[in-house]
Amino acid sequence: MGSNSSRIGDLPKNEYLKKLSGTESVSENDPFWNQLLSFSFPAPTSSTELKLLEEATVSVCRSLVVNNPRTGNLGALIKVFLSRTKELKLSAECQNHIFIWQTHNALFIICCLLKVFICEMSEEELQLHFTYEEKSPGSYSSDSEDLLEELLCCLMQLITDIPLLDITYEISVEAVSTMVVFLSCQLFHKEVLRQSISHKYLMRGRCLPYTSKLVKTLLYNFIRQEKPPPPGAHVLPQQSDGGGLLYGLASGVATGLWTVFTLGGVGSKAAATPELSSPLANQSLLLLLVLANLTDAADTPNPYRQAIMSFKNTQDSSPFPSSIPHAFQINFNSLYTALCEQQTSDQATLLLYTLLHQNSNVRTYMLARTDMENLVLPILEILYHVEERNSHHVYMALIILLILTEDDGFNRSIHEVILKNITWYSERVLTEISLGSLLILVVIRTIQYNMTRTRDKYLHTNCLAALANMSAQFRSLHQYAAQRIISLFSLLSKKHNKVLEQATQSLRGSLSSNDVPLPDYAQDLNVIEEVIRMMLEIINSCLTHSLHHNPNLVYALLYKRDLFEQFRTHPSFQDIMQNIDLVITFFSSRLLQAGAELSVERVLEIIKQGAVALPKDRLKKFPELKFKYVEEEQPEEFFIPYVWSLVYNSAVGLYWNPQDIQLFTMDSD
């Protein structure tokens, strides 16, 4: 390849890449490495560009797979990188752009090679490639240093110790991406990996002491949402014509440098702005979620999950118990703010779920906040736009609500927060409504969507559980929220009658034909009756505990009282109908006494007066409704494919061929 090449398609013919992947061993002290690492090109920002890069370099990578056992060039490249990282911190302080630029390029090449190696071979074979050194055919050095573990430790040090500056931003992103690639062997297995060499390195040995520092750094990267520097700020100024600038070293050893190659002929002009404002924050969050969801070893719990479960607020001065390993402190106010602002992404919602579910310190802090609407509103918006979200994102948002509603303080406080002009709620203009009433509206809307579209029992159950947890603390329900509660019951009642009629007709038809299999209407009926009972329990719970606080619910109940007639004598609902029937009868009597042609205002006034007059002991007491979220057995079977699907779809600067993915079903690009 000559020095005039400017297309990514010429990469397979590049003389330096051919030498790296060829049959000749290159010593780690060879000037070749300065030449190899002195290239510059615009970082790929789209899946199309990443796919082009992957396709152009895959032949080089495969050639190295074949030749590396004899040449050991992969190990030599890694040693060059490792030696450079020892001076990286000083180079950042001294603003040594060229040194940092070349070190970044070394890591970029390593990451590209690793991706192909991991895709095409087992972990055991990969480990062998890290031990190969220059040697004569047939010989093998059994005392080779473990470069794989050393590289992982080095990456952890780079992420945690190198100051984040304009000139170090890209190498920080690359270090995080390379760690993600190290763990990507899971993508190429259908089953969840429970034994893995990369897991072993990360959970014990030299990497283990970096656990808490790494988790803390990744969290702070997410919190700070640092944007990348403007093009050219991290190396040297670009040429005014937009072409790439070739950089020489003062010593002149790199006179035969690569030419700058371009993606799509755009040179080094700024590419289109990527969707993600902070690639470092995005990659850090993905790596954190991957680490948090590694399976426990037989004798070692996942230390990264332990760190996530136990960290505390910087304002908390109490000592950590000696039994808690990998503990650290972080600013909870900054974390809370970032979580509130970033809930548009699946991964931020998954992090919020993880922290609420697993870290009691975070959960206690969040529930004590006086501005919970900043967190709850983005979650409600996810559920409201259920048609546009994937099912996993909806589940996570719903479970977050369920966890929050386990707390009575939360259930009381949300009715005290008054919101104005909720613009994203389009069914009805809501000029003023409490956060609690809005939450009820959105959850009921999710139930109704599920009834007509997905028909997912799990979704139903969690929605109803959240409403049930809140029901005893319903306060001053908005008239529209009260109407929607009764409307949902009306919808369920109609569905119940329809299935009952279908079951009756089916039974009659079966008497004349014994050969036709019957639809399982009994199971459908059972499911609907379970949901109806739960709705009746929610209404009953509100009437029993906070009747005088909810005149709008009593009004809606009276307006649609005929709905409840058929359930009075139904054996599945007789007990729970007692209080509802009593309330309907009591208030209907008072309205009858007040005369006909009553205005809405007059009816509400009579209801408020009646709520005071109704003896509390006339209402039968039922146990307070309380549902607690319990993670299913073997949650990794759900969370690990979910996390890796987020990595596949969201990772900046990483591309995997969809045809190679085994962990989850993937549509081809």
Side-chain angles (χ1 to χ4, degrees):
M1 172 182 175
S3 61
N4 297 321
S5 173
S6 61
R7 293 187 302 106
I8 195 170
D10 292 330
L11 279 177
K13 296 178 286 185
N14 181 281
E15 58 182 297
Y16 298 107
L17 289 179
K18 286 172 72 176
K19 184 171 182 179
L20 171 68
S21 60
T23 57
E24 178 187 345
S25 295
V26 183
S27 164
E28 60 197 87
N29 300 314
D30 197 301
F32 161 80
W33 299 110
N34 279 335
Q35 299 167 337
L36 173 71
L37 303 179
S38 297
F39 65 88
S40 178
F41 62 91
T45 57
S46 70
S47 58
T48 303
E49 292 176 351
L50 288 165
K51 186 177 181 181
L52 283 172
L53 181 63
E54 176 90 3
E55 291 171 348
T57 55
V58 70
S59 62
V60 172
C61 296
R62 286 174 177 164
S63 178
L64 184 63
V65 169
V66 173
N67 294 320
N68 187 63
R70 189 164 62 84
T71 66
N73 284 347
L74 175 63
L77 171 61
I78 290 169
K79 288 178 181 178
V80 168
F81 169 73
L82 292 174
S83 68
R84 284 174 167 271
T85 56
K86 294 172 184 174
E87 302 175 40
L88 202 55
K89 195 170 184 178
L90 180 62
S91 297
E93 293 170 358
C94 299
Q95 296 285 301
N96 189 336
H97 293 252
I98 291 179
F99 187 89
I100 293 171
W101 160 56
Q102 289 187 321
T103 309
H104 165 269
N105 287 349
L107 184 55
F108 176 79
I109 295 173
I110 290 169
C111 188
C112 290
L113 292 173
L114 276 176
K115 227 157 44 63
V116 175
F117 274 53
I118 289 171
C119 177
E120 299 205 350
M121 64 184 68
S122 68
E123 280 195 301
E124 290 74 18
E125 290 175 297
L126 176 67
Q127 193 175 30
L128 284 176
H129 275 276
F130 274 79
T131 61
Y132 291 133
E133 296 178 352
E134 180 183 359
K135 52 192 177 291
S136 57
S139 65
Y140 179 76
S141 174
S142 59
D143 58 347
S144 298
E145 58 192 314
D146 197 332
L147 276 181
L148 182 56
E149 183 176 32
E150 192 171 346
L151 179 57
L152 272 173
C153 285
C154 178
L155 292 173
M156 295 173 87
Q157 287 176 314
L158 197 160
I159 294 167
T160 58
D161 294 347
I162 301 302
L164 188 59
L165 308 169
D166 279 358
I167 59 173
T168 61
Y169 189 94
E170 285 195 7
I171 195 170
S172 296
V173 174
E174 201 65 47
V176 175
S177 297
T178 306
M179 282 202 69
V180 172
V181 168
F182 256 120
L183 294 162
S184 66
C185 53
Q186 176 64 79
L187 280 172
F188 312 109
H189 293 79
K190 289 184 179 180
E191 305 298 324
V192 168
L193 290 179
R194 300 181 187 279
Q195 297 288 335
S196 166
I197 292 172
S198 54
H199 294 190
K200 181 190 74 174
Y201 284 129
L202 287 169
M203 291 191 189
R204 51 172 66 94
R206 293 168 56 191
C207 293
L208 190 61
Y210 295 99
T211 297
S212 59
K213 199 172 181 181
L214 178 63
V215 171
K216 183 176 182 177
T217 301
L218 295 175
L219 275 172
Y220 268 128
N221 286 347
F222 166 71
I223 288 168
R224 289 168 180 150
Q225 294 289 316
E226 292 281 358
K227 293 178 171 56
H234 56 291
V235 189
L236 293 172
Q238 302 292 311
Q239 288 181 335
S240 58
D241 64 359
L245 179 65
L246 296 180
Y247 309 96
L249 299 179
S251 62
V253 295
T255 53
L257 302 180
W258 294 29
T259 189
V260 175
F261 67 82
T262 62
L263 295 169
V266 296
S268 59
K269 292 179 181 177
T273 305
E275 290 182 14
L276 296 161
S277 61
S278 177
L280 180 61
N282 180 71
Q283 295 294 79
S284 295
L285 178 52
L286 291 171
L287 175 57
L288 182 65
L289 292 171
V290 169
L291 291 171
N293 286 282
L294 295 177
T295 54
D296 295 333
D299 57 344
T300 309
N302 179 347
Y304 304 94
R305 189 182 302 123
Q306 287 182 317
I308 287 170
M309 290 172 65
S310 59
F311 70 83
K312 298 195 307 185
N313 194 355
T314 49
Q315 304 299 314
D316 187 346
S317 58
S318 61
F320 283 102
S322 57
S323 59
I324 297 180
H326 316 298
F328 64 92
Q329 291 178 289
I330 205 165
N331 187 309
F332 276 17
N333 182 59
S334 300
L335 176 61
Y336 180 80
T337 301
L339 286 167
C340 292
E341 292 174 350
Q342 299 299 321
Q343 284 308 306
T344 51
S345 74
D346 280 69
Q347 48 265 42
T349 304
L350 182 53
L351 176 63
L352 175 58
Y353 158 78
T354 302
L355 295 177
L356 277 174
H357 178 52
Q358 298 186 0
N359 190 312
S360 60
N361 300 319
V362 172
R363 184 167 61 251
T364 301
Y365 173 85
M366 288 187 176
L367 289 168
R369 295 281 303 206
T370 56
D371 60 348
M372 276 297 288
E373 66 272 17
N374 292 335
L375 186 68
V376 175
L377 281 172
I379 298 300
L380 294 183
E381 200 167 350
I382 293 168
L383 292 175
Y384 185 78
H385 296 294
V386 59
E387 302 94 336
E388 302 165 17
R389 304 290 182 179
N390 68 68
S391 60
H392 288 1
H393 200 182
V394 172
Y395 282 143
M396 289 298 101
L398 190 54
I399 292 169
I400 286 167
L401 287 185
L402 180 55
I403 292 171
L404 292 173
T405 61
E406 291 171 12
D407 182 76
D408 286 340
F410 171 83
N411 294 332
R412 284 190 296 270
S413 66
I414 55 175
H415 293 288
E416 297 166 3
V417 178
I418 304 301
L419 308 167
K420 296 182 184 296
N421 300 316
I422 308 301
T423 55
W424 48 262
Y425 194 95
S426 59
E427 273 88 346
R428 179 165 172 159
V429 176
L430 300 174
T431 54
E432 187 172 289
I433 189 171
S434 72
L435 179 60
S437 288
L438 181 64
L439 196 159
I440 291 166
L441 285 175
V442 172
V443 171
I444 287 175
R445 185 180 184 275
T446 306
I447 294 172
Q448 291 179 321
Y449 174 83
N450 186 50
M451 285 176 65
T452 57
R453 305 287 182 86
T454 55
R455 299 182 181 182
D456 187 325
K457 184 181 177 182
Y458 180 80
L459 195 69
H460 260 5
T461 302
N462 283 286
C463 284
L464 291 167
L467 290 176
N469 284 347
M470 296 167 59
S471 59
Q473 277 87 32
F474 282 173
R475 294 290 187 275
S476 304
L477 289 184
H478 191 280
Q479 61 178 15
Y480 186 50
Q483 290 170 17
R484 299 310 296 162
I485 290 172
I486 304 304
S487 294
L488 175 58
F489 185 80
S490 174
L491 185 64
L492 291 166
S493 176
K494 291 175 183 175
K495 193 170 182 64
H496 177 267
N497 293 340
K498 182 180 179 181
V499 174
L500 193 60
E501 183 181 347
Q502 288 173 332
T504 304
Q505 291 176 351
S506 176
L507 188 61
R508 286 172 183 164
S510 68
L511 297 176
S512 57
S513 175
N514 294 326
D515 300 329
V516 180
L518 289 175
D520 193 0
Y521 289 117
Q523 184 178 354
D524 289 347
L525 202 60
N526 184 53
V527 171
I528 294 169
E529 288 185 355
E530 282 180 13
V531 176
I532 287 175
R533 170 145 188 117
M534 204 157 176
M535 279 302 300
L536 289 171
E537 287 179 341
I538 289 166
I539 295 168
N540 178 71
S541 174
C542 176
L543 297 177
T544 305
H545 293 92
S546 54
L547 174 67
H548 57 293
H549 288 298
N550 292 291
N552 283 327
L553 182 63
V554 177
Y555 184 100
L557 197 64
L558 293 172
Y559 190 75
K560 293 283 190 179
R561 54 182 171 265
D562 293 346
L563 278 175
F564 298 88
E565 287 289 337
Q566 63 176 307
F567 300 107
R568 281 181 176 176
T569 56
H570 195 293
S572 299
F573 311 120
Q574 273 183 318
D575 58 334
I576 206 72
M577 276 297 301
Q578 288 180 32
N579 286 342
I580 296 172
D581 194 31
L582 187 151
V583 167
I584 290 173
T585 303
F586 177 82
F587 284 98
S588 295
S589 173
R590 293 182 74 91
L591 290 175
L592 193 62
Q593 293 171 16
E597 303 298 327
L598 299 173
S599 66
V600 173
E601 292 75 15
R602 179 59 182 146
V603 172
L604 286 171
E605 185 182 341
I606 293 169
I607 289 172
K608 290 174 184 176
Q609 293 169 353
V612 176
L614 178 64
K616 301 295 185 290
D617 57 2
R618 290 185 62 184
L619 295 173
K620 182 181 177 182
K621 298 296 181 186
F622 287 86
E624 188 173 340
L625 296 176
K626 272 298 166 192
F627 292 88
K628 190 175 178 63
Y629 169 67
V630 179
E631 203 168 63
E632 295 183 9
E633 291 184 16
Q634 295 188 317
E636 63 273 9
E637 299 291 342
F638 169 84
F639 285 104
I640 289 177
Y642 179 32
V643 168
W644 278 105
S645 72
L646 297 181
V647 172
Y648 178 89
N649 289 306
S650 305
V652 180
L654 293 176
Y655 169 83
W656 286 277
N657 188 330
Q659 296 177 347
D660 295 329
I661 304 300
Q662 298 292 319
L663 183 60
F664 47 82
T665 304
M666 199 64 244
D667 295 329
S668 297
D669 292 348

